[in-house]
Amino acid sequence: MRYRDFPLSAPVNVTWEITRRCNLRCVHCLSASETEDPAELSLDECRRIVDELASLRVFEINFGGGEPLIKDYFLRLLRYIHDRGIVTCISTNGTVLTDEAVAAFSGNPLVNIQVSLDGASPGVNDSIRGRGTYERIIRGIERLARRNINLSINCVVTSRNYHELANLKELARAYGATLRISRFRPSGRARKTWEELRLSAQQLAELARWLESDPTILTGDSFFAIAPKARRELGLDMCGGSKLTACIDPVGNVYPCAFLQDEEFLGGNLREHSFKEIWDGSPVFNFLRRLEPSACRGCPRFEKCRGGCPAVAYFTNHDLDSADPECLMSFRR
């Protein structure tokens, strides 16, 4: 199936950055979260969006932020979503868990919890997520691990924590959780730390071999671009932005993905248009569905990868016609 020729009638999943407010200041934050925007969507507005997503048969909503558990109406919104049978994944830093939140997650088959931890030791994690955060995050993981909750630990792979991935896997296993790793990308606050924290070509190649050897490690985002063939066949094998997924920001703007939240990639706003109108008619979405970077057309992996992650290509080269600079084929040439 070529998604440019047969666009889905709706995304399979939607990332929803529910608030800009966060109690941490992580150096790699994709949205540079800090304080709440006074224009953030109200609960009633969110419910109307959920009603439309349910009518479009969107399977899953992935919540991030900011820290979603800080949003005052978040648990009420979550119940509303589950009443409509939509699966949710909640990305949290684990430091603001309440008894009410833990109870809402426990035994709920429609909830997946992903706790962010960026090191298997305090020194590494705290250099990324802030002083003292390791112990606070671990306490949150312990609270969740004692309950019947589908739990994963997510690590954004950088040059600071790359050497701790095996230890992170064992740490996750000790809590009955799965390790999930995400690519570090130059979005939000990470644009300032990109050159310092990005992986080298050698580290990317080693990471690809490690992933190939262990299919139990979950990978999100665009790891298909730096994974061998056997690994890519486990799931998504090309960029899903505007094809399988989209992103809603805290004020109702809709973007192709969470890593393309810049003005030039704005599809529309849900206070002015329906989600369906944006999904079907946005020039930006339709452009990305047709995107075939000329730098990649001679590559033997082109029919699968189709250029890798456009967010990395754009923010590093300012050119959507260029290849993902971290693609395995890119740095082997």
Side-chain angles (χ1 to χ4, degrees), residues 25-304:
R25 300 292 180 269
C26 304
V27 299
H28 57 21
C29 180
L30 72 90
S31 56
S33 296
E34 190 166 356
T35 58
E36 186 167 318
D37 188 326
E40 288 182 7
L41 297 166
S42 68
L43 178 57
D44 285 342
E45 287 176 315
C46 289
R47 285 170 172 160
R48 286 195 292 272
I49 292 170
V50 170
D51 288 342
E52 184 182 8
L53 296 181
S55 71
L56 293 174
R57 302 180 71 180
V58 169
F59 175 74
E60 183 175 36
I61 299 175
N62 303 321
F63 280 105
E67 169 53 55
L69 297 183
I70 288 180
K71 193 65 180 175
D72 56 356
Y73 58 62
F74 181 68
L75 293 181
R76 283 179 286 166
L77 177 61
L78 203 63
R79 286 192 290 270
Y80 192 83
I81 292 168
H82 294 159
D83 286 344
R84 277 142 189 79
I86 299 176
V87 174
T88 57
C89 179
I90 301 155
S91 181
T92 175
N93 60 45
T95 67
V96 292
L97 287 168
T98 63
D99 291 341
E100 183 185 8
V102 174
F105 303 154
S106 299
N108 190 334
L110 297 177
V111 171
N112 301 285
I113 303 297
Q114 179 178 290
V115 179
S116 298
L117 182 70
D118 285 306
S121 62
V124 172
N125 174 83
D126 292 5
S127 73
I128 297 169
R129 306 192 70 83
R131 184 176 180 181
T133 55
Y134 179 87
E135 297 299 335
R136 294 166 63 196
I137 294 168
I138 290 296
R139 285 197 296 269
I141 291 171
E142 289 173 344
R143 291 187 69 185
L144 296 168
R146 292 195 292 264
R147 309 295 286 265
N148 180 21
I149 295 173
N150 188 5
L151 178 65
S152 63
I153 292 175
N154 184 75
C155 171
V156 177
V157 185
T158 67
S159 59
R160 289 188 191 175
N161 59 27
Y162 165 81
H163 63 285
E164 291 202 330
L165 289 178
N167 290 338
L168 270 170
K169 176 189 170 183
E170 294 307 312
L171 184 150
R173 180 181 295 176
Y175 288 110
T178 306
L179 177 63
R180 179 183 185 274
I181 61 174
S182 297
R183 281 184 71 181
F184 175 58
R185 280 182 275 192
S187 173
R189 197 175 292 127
R191 295 183 198 184
K192 296 180 180 179
T193 56
W194 170 250
E195 292 302 330
E196 175 191 356
L197 298 181
R198 66 186 297 188
L199 297 180
S200 67
Q202 179 180 345
Q203 289 170 330
L204 286 165
E206 291 172 356
L207 177 61
R209 288 193 291 271
W210 185 66
L211 289 172
E212 185 176 29
S213 70
D214 192 344
T216 69
I217 304 298
L218 301 178
T219 53
D221 314 317
S222 59
F223 263 99
F224 61 85
I226 59 171
K229 180 180 178 182
R231 183 81 197 190
R232 296 198 312 277
E233 290 175 349
L234 294 176
L236 184 65
D237 58 9
M238 68 172 69
C239 171
S242 76
K243 308 175 189 75
L244 299 175
T245 189
C247 174
I248 302 172
D249 83 356
V251 299
N253 291 324
V254 181
Y255 299 94
C257 86
F259 294 93
L260 287 174
Q261 294 186 68
D262 272 25
E263 183 67 27
E264 53 265 55
F265 299 107
L266 176 62
N269 185 277
L270 294 173
R271 285 174 168 142
E272 302 168 359
H273 305 280
S274 71
F275 187 92
K276 182 66 171 172
E277 287 172 335
I278 297 169
W279 179 258
D280 287 344
S282 164
V284 169
F285 278 51
N286 286 316
F287 170 80
L288 287 173
R289 287 167 185 150
R290 298 189 299 269
L291 182 64
E292 295 185 347
S294 58
C296 302
R297 290 175 195 166
C299 176
R301 287 175 52 173
F302 179 65
E303 284 302 317
K304 287 290 186 181

